[in-house]
Amino acid sequence: MINEIPRGSKRYKQIKNLRSASERANSTMKEDLKILEKPRILNAQRAAILAQMAAIVLLIHRAFKFVVKTTILFTILHQTIDPAIKEKLKPLSEA
């Protein structure tokens, strides 16, 4: 019996879209980045430091993901004349 919904499936994406931003952030920090999986917290000050470090790592992770995605799109843009890719890379001021 499989209780977990496979990642990347249509059902997984539907459930993920229903969650709030804070739930998605906590889930990413716990499951993908493994920061909050088994935290060793001795007092409130260390818990606050761990939370701040986790938030910083999450922001860096998302920024890097954005840069990689944009770089790949620009590379594809220079290799093709696909209008769908040009639309994705259009600046917001032109939209």
Side-chain angles (χ1 to χ4, degrees):
M1 183 170 158
I2 299 174
N3 292 331
E4 191 174 308
I5 299 170
R7 286 184 175 229
S9 68
K10 187 176 180 180
R11 180 72 178 141
Y12 179 82
K13 290 178 183 178
Q14 289 174 341
I15 291 172
K16 189 172 182 180
N17 288 336
L18 293 174
R19 299 186 317 174
S20 68
S22 62
E23 287 176 330
R24 285 193 300 271
N26 289 339
S27 175
T28 300
M29 286 186 276
K30 182 178 178 186
E31 295 176 10
D32 297 342
L33 303 176
K34 306 291 186 200
I35 294 172
L36 301 177
E37 190 172 342
K38 289 185 179 179
R40 184 174 175 219
I41 298 173
L42 302 176
N43 58 31
Q45 183 180 7
R46 289 190 183 192
I49 291 170
L50 178 64
Q52 290 174 351
M53 287 175 37
I56 291 168
V57 169
L58 179 63
L59 288 173
I60 292 170
H61 179 262
R62 288 182 177 174
F64 184 73
K65 196 173 177 181
F66 171 77
V67 169
V68 168
K69 180 180 176 183
T70 306
T71 303
I72 290 170
L73 282 174
F74 272 112
T75 303
I76 292 171
L77 175 66
H78 289 294
Q79 296 173 353
T80 186
I81 55 171
D82 187 6
I85 294 174
K86 287 184 179 183
E87 186 65 30
K88 284 183 180 180
L89 294 173
K90 184 188 292 185
L92 293 176
S93 60
E94 294 179 15

